[in-house]
Amino acid sequence: EVIVSISDMHFNSTGRYILSRDYLTLKLWDVNMESHPVCTFAVHDHLKARLCSLYENDCIFDKFECRWGGASKGVMTGSYHNFFRIYDSQSRAEVCYEASKNTQHLGHILQPKCVGGTRRRRRDGLELETSNEVPLETLDFNRKILHASWHPEENILAIAATNNLFLFQQELLDS
């Protein structure tokens, strides 16, 4: 099936673990325990109900890369709406950020983002605005992070979003 086909995989620096990416998940494998992954991170769990429409517009064939952090503790992958997700492979903590031209000035600190289920409205009918939550129906499937690289020794990420290259440094990754 298309959604479980591996689109990318990499050994960590010690060679003991493999990180793999399919359409819905990021999986961490121990080469000494090949029967099942050590852990699975649900990257696109919120898209399961939309798989038919994603197939019809060919998004289901997008090949997202995955990367290890320099110390092999962190892992990252891209997503839609120019989101990229960083996971702590030990604590399994997750943080999601958006690569945007609005965040590219010196000293800007990125704020974590999350994909919400639906738009929320106040009693008077106006939409609630939360800067860190993006309603599922507003996700832009034409803006996607397919390619990324994590510096092998420094906490620096290079993210490719269509025709833009974004660089993020340590302040982002330590929070």
Side-chain angles (χ1 to χ4, degrees), residues 2 11 13 33-34 38 62 82 114 121 143 155 157 165:
V2 176
F11 279 99
S13 60
M33 191 176 73
E34 59 191 55
V38 173
D62 288 335
N82 278 2
C114 66
R121 297 192 179 273
R143 295 174 52 223
N155 247 349
L157 284 176
L165 178 64

Side-chain angles (χ1 to χ4, degrees), residues 1-13:
E1 204 173 290
V2 176
I3 60 172
V4 294
S5 296
I6 295 173
S7 61
D8 195 23
M9 65 179 191
H10 297 278
F11 279 99
N12 75 335
S13 60

